[in-house]
């Protein structure tokens, strides 16, 4: 029997429903394209959830049964209930993996876990993005090659106001000359967080085979490690302590 990982792809799902330009790129929503990119490996069980579902599709029970949550949001970060954002944060601290994509840098969930503004420079133009692997031994870089390019993407530039990542996997270069830390790993409590930059709503980024490979790798990296249950508070000594 193979060990399975339960993955939920969460999407705000507003741009694609409200604007024909984005619906043309992602007719079933960005979440559907991300989920499609994760199907194939038999050990991954993929589901989706969206903002307008009750409790944004992220009930306590659903989260308790989720190994890795993927998050895409942009224009409606403020509509995510504080209670649900706090619930996701707590699940990460308890060991759930979280992959935050692109404009999710400004989500309540990511900001809570980072503790900084998470602000950055941006430009929607005609930039090409080149992503360099800067940590070739990292599992998220498996099978990627030393670099890959996306012919059109939104530019995100430094300074990216995040805590120094525990591990940095990718740095992006853009045609306009900017650079950006575009693949960042963080450990929070018993959980792992991966921020991955590409994925603007008007570009077909989530169909790109290399991007899909990165996301499959990231799901495996972020999955709960099976480490010890954390305990806190007053503790009895393990050995006799002389008075
Ligand atoms: Zn964007």
């Amino acid at each position: 029997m193979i060990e399975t990982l339960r993955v939920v792809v969460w999407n705000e799902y507003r741009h694609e429903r409200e604007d024909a330009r984005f619906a043309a790129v992602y007719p079933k929503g960005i979440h559907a394209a991300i989920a499609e990119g994760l199907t194939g490996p038999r050990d991954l069980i993929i589901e989706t959830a969206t903002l307008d579902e009750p409790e944004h599709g992220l009930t306590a029970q659903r989260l308790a049964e989720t190994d890795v949550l993927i998050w895409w949001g942009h224009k409606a970060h403020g509509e995510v209930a504080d209670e649900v954002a706090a619930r996701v944060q707590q699940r990460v601290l308890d060991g759930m993996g979280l992959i935050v994509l692109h404009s999710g840098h400004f989500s309540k969930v990511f900001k809570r876990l980072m503790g900084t503004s998470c602000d950055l420079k941006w430009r929607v133009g005609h930039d090409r993005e080149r992503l360099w692997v800067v940590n070739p031994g990292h599992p998220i870089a498996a099978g990627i090659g030393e670099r890959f390019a996306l012919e059109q993407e939104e530019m995100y530039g430094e300074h990216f106001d995040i805590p120094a990542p525990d591990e940095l996997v990718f740095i992006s270069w853009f045609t306009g000359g900017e650079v950006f830390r575009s693949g960042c790993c963080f450990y929070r409590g018993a959980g792992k967080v991966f921020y991955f930059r590409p994925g603007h709503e008007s570009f077909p980024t989530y169909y790109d085979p290399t991007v899909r490979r990165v996301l499959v790798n990231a799901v495996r990296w972020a999955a709960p490690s099976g480490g010890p249950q954390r305990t806190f508070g007053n503790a009895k000594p393990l050995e006799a302590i002389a008075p």
Side-chain angles (χ1 to χ4, degrees):
M1 198 184 113
I2 51 169
E3 193 109 344
T4 54
L5 289 177
R6 293 155 301 179
V7 181
V8 173
V9 182
W10 188 91
N11 180 19
E12 176 182 284
Y13 198 26
R14 290 284 174 84
H15 285 296
E16 313 92 303
R17 286 193 292 143
E18 294 172 1
D19 191 319
R21 293 173 302 162
F22 309 135
V25 184
Y26 294 107
K28 294 181 193 157
I30 286 171
H31 54 298
I34 294 169
E36 182 191 278
L38 295 170
T39 55
R42 284 173 50 224
D43 57 330
L44 302 186
I45 299 167
I46 314 298
E47 295 178 3
T48 62
T50 56
L51 177 66
D52 291 327
E53 294 171 36
E55 299 187 57
H56 315 319
L58 300 174
T59 61
Q61 191 185 339
R62 184 108 188 261
L63 284 174
E65 293 167 352
T66 300
D67 293 311
V68 179
L69 177 66
I70 299 179
W71 192 280
W72 197 101
H74 180 223
K75 62 189 293 191
H77 292 315
E79 292 182 45
V80 173
D82 290 337
E83 189 190 339
V84 174
R87 190 185 290 164
V88 171
Q89 177 188 23
Q90 187 59 50
R91 263 296 285 148
V92 171
L93 298 178
D94 289 341
M96 181 183 74
L98 177 68
I99 299 170
V100 176
L101 299 173
H102 188 60
S103 41
H105 71 92
F106 258 167
S107 62
K108 287 183 180 179
V109 164
F110 190 61
K111 286 162 87 173
R112 275 173 173 272
L113 285 159
M114 296 297 110
T116 54
S117 76
C118 301
D119 212 343
L120 45 78
K121 290 188 183 70
W122 61 273
R123 173 178 63 242
V124 182
H126 298 283
D127 282 276
R128 184 167 191 258
E129 177 174 11
R130 186 173 282 137
L131 293 99
W132 288 88
V133 173
V134 294
N135 192 343
H138 199 281
I140 294 179
I144 302 300
E146 70 169 7
R147 65 178 188 276
F148 68 101
L150 298 167
E151 290 310 317
Q152 265 213 313
E153 250 298 348
E154 179 179 12
M155 184 282 294
Y156 277 6
E158 296 283 348
H159 180 62
F160 184 17
D161 186 22
I162 49 170
D166 294 305
E167 295 158 4
L168 185 60
V169 185
F170 299 107
I171 291 177
S172 286
W173 166 94
F174 295 89
T175 319
E178 294 87 355
V179 296
F180 191 78
R181 289 167 290 170
S182 52
C184 304
C185 298
F186 304 91
Y187 292 79
R188 291 292 182 273
K192 286 170 267 181
V193 179
F194 181 59
Y195 174 78
F196 188 53
R197 196 219 74 83
H200 188 64
E201 60 270 14
S202 64
F203 301 123
T205 301
Y206 294 118
Y207 301 107
D208 182 273
T210 310
V211 167
R212 288 181 161 189
R213 176 68 195 262
V214 169
L215 293 180
V216 170
N217 290 348
V219 164
R220 297 198 195 290
W221 173 82
S225 61
Q229 193 75 36
R230 300 182 308 154
T231 57
F232 301 101
N234 188 273
K236 290 195 170 63
L238 276 68
E239 319 292 340
I241 301 175

